Amino acid sequence: MSVVLYAESSDGKFKKVALEVASYAKAVADALGTQVTAVTINASDASELGKYGVNKVLQVQNDALQAFNAKAYADVIQQAARQEGAQVVVFSSSTDSLYVAPLVAVALEAGMASNVVAAPVSTAPFQVKRSAFSQKAFNYTTINTAVKVLSISKNSFGIHENATSVTAEAFAPQLNEGDFATKVAAVEKASGQVSIADADIVVSGGRGLKGPENWHILEDLATTLGAATACSKPVSDIGWRPHSEHVGQTGKPVASNLYIALGISGAIQHIAGINASKVKVVINTDPEAPFFKVADYGIVGDALEIVPRLTQKLKEFKAQNSEAIPTKVYTILTPFVFSQRALFFLKKHRIFLLFCKL
């Protein structure tokens, strides 16, 4: 008996979500008194997973699996789960895993809980805490089947090192033609950019930036922070930015440590898709913009004037400090100067004060 996880990788390297899933699986295994087995597909260094509590790695090397195929990947994982006698199978909430996890649950006749945000509340009965209604509420779900399948919300449990002796062995699942009924014609990947899915910081722009010719302001800030760039739905719809950068409920979900919205008013669908971010900052000329109601920090002003000053201060901070820019907002915003007045922003019975000295 064991806890089995699917460790996602790209170009042979494990994704950030794989490390969080490994950390979560270790917590579940400790609660159950068992071990952790990871399934990898065309990944290289399995020893990295040992840092996060994985005891055993089943390595699948198969050229037919170079491109993601939900049905084939699900068949691989369910075969591994059966071999290991899995009590719990753990996935991330990435796009790929959201395709695969339900297929594995059906194959194993397992109950499934998605959007899990914490270690199990109890193991007998097996109960987990989940987010609901676009992060607006939580519920507690009890799974009564012998095998449980869990999908963990991004950046909810965190990455925790727990060094363990890990062994790796080759695993050759039996795949058939039916697993490859869907063929991948081509895969297009953005290069030289921070992935929105793996980014600790995301800088996103809306129509308040007034045109694609001003996007370099956002990109300069993102480069300085080591952040991913994103945009609102209207921006991608009118062609200012590619649809691959569209975030929100109808685009890519964001669960970063820091989300900075520039010129985005905050439509309900956008807020729903980024609400899992730990800290949200908004810069907007409209003090009544809906985004201010959910933001942790807000600045009323023109992003085209504020952001270049912010970026310059960040560059000065980096030049004077050897460590990377921290993602906690107060350490980023406090040294920066925007106007000759102090801006008060009331949020959850706290007042955030930004002192300015232009």
Side-chain angles (χ1 to χ4, degrees):
M1 307 294 284
S2 67
V3 175
V4 170
L5 67 99
Y6 167 47
E8 293 185 48
S9 60
S10 178
D11 298 324
K13 297 180 180 179
F14 291 112
K15 297 180 180 179
K16 178 183 174 182
V17 292
L19 309 183
E20 182 171 27
V21 168
S23 300
Y24 185 89
K26 174 61 175 174
V28 176
D30 287 347
L32 294 172
T34 187
Q35 294 192 322
V36 180
T37 300
V39 181
T40 68
I41 298 176
N42 294 326
S44 52
D45 185 13
S47 64
E48 183 180 1
L49 296 176
K51 299 177 184 177
Y52 304 95
V54 174
N55 304 102
K56 179 181 179 181
V57 179
L58 298 179
Q59 295 180 297
V60 178
Q61 297 292 335
N62 189 327
D63 290 341
L65 299 172
Q66 289 293 347
F68 174 75
N69 182 307
K71 191 172 183 180
Y73 275 43
D75 200 2
V76 169
I77 296 164
Q78 67 91 6
Q79 288 183 46
R82 291 181 189 279
Q83 175 182 295
E84 298 299 306
Q87 294 171 272
V88 181
V89 184
V90 186
F91 294 88
S92 76
S93 60
S94 70
T95 302
D96 288 357
S97 284
L98 289 176
Y99 275 110
V100 173
L103 297 176
V104 172
V106 170
L108 297 176
E109 298 183 346
M112 178 181 168
S114 59
N115 300 323
V116 176
V117 297
V121 177
S122 66
T123 56
F126 195 92
Q127 189 177 73
V128 291
K129 181 181 180 181
R130 307 165 60 204
S131 64
F133 304 117
S134 300
Q135 311 292 327
K136 294 183 178 67
F138 297 101
N139 66 44
Y140 293 87
T141 299
T142 300
I143 306 177
N144 297 316
T145 52
V147 182
K148 292 86 177 168
V149 173
L150 306 179
S151 175
I152 313 306
S153 289
K154 291 180 186 176
N155 210 22
S156 60
F157 187 76
I159 297 173
H160 307 281
E161 290 196 13
N162 195 332
T164 307
S165 177
V166 61
T167 60
E169 64 180 60
F171 179 62
Q174 300 299 311
L175 301 177
N176 56 60
E177 291 184 6
D179 290 326
F180 299 96
T182 301
K183 304 294 183 182
V184 178
V187 177
E188 296 182 3
K189 292 184 178 181
S191 59
Q193 298 179 358
V194 180
S195 164
I196 292 174
D198 294 330
D200 286 325
I201 306 174
V202 175
V203 180
S204 187
R207 285 181 292 183
L209 291 182
K210 301 178 182 178
E213 66 277 4
N214 294 321
W215 221 258
H216 66 92
I217 294 173
L218 180 152
E219 291 173 330
D220 194 17
L221 174 61
T223 300
T224 304
L225 288 170
T229 60
C231 69
S232 62
K233 185 177 187 296
V235 165
S236 63
D237 285 346
I238 60 181
W240 289 5
R241 300 301 296 171
H243 284 283
S244 60
E245 292 188 6
H246 165 208
V247 297
Q249 193 173 41
T250 56
K252 293 182 178 179
V254 175
S256 57
N257 288 326
L258 174 61
Y259 182 81
I260 303 175
L262 309 178
I264 298 177
S265 61
I268 188 171
Q269 294 89 349
H270 186 88
I271 298 298
I274 61 89
N275 212 28
S277 295
K278 303 293 186 186
V279 177
K280 295 174 279 292
V281 178
V282 58
I283 301 175
N284 200 294
T285 56
D286 180 8
E288 300 301 320
F291 217 128
F292 282 110
K293 295 179 182 179
V294 299
D296 297 286
Y297 293 80
I299 301 171
V300 178
D302 189 346
L304 298 181
E305 297 177 4
I306 293 170
V307 174
R309 293 186 175 97
L310 174 58
T311 303
Q312 182 59 37
K313 291 293 182 180
L314 283 167
K315 290 178 178 178
E316 292 173 6
F317 180 88
K318 288 180 71 175
Q320 297 168 7
N321 296 270
S322 57
E323 72 272 16
I325 293 174
T327 58
K328 290 185 177 179
V329 173
Y330 68 86
T331 58
I332 293 178
L333 291 181
T334 301
F336 306 141
V337 186
F338 299 116
S339 70
Q340 294 187 351
R341 59 193 175 90
L343 170 69
F344 291 88
F345 185 71
L346 182 61
K347 172 69 176 171
K348 297 178 182 176
H349 310 295
R350 294 172 294 172
I351 295 178
F352 298 104
L353 180 60
L354 308 180
F355 288 104
C356 311
K357 301 181 173 172
L358 270 183

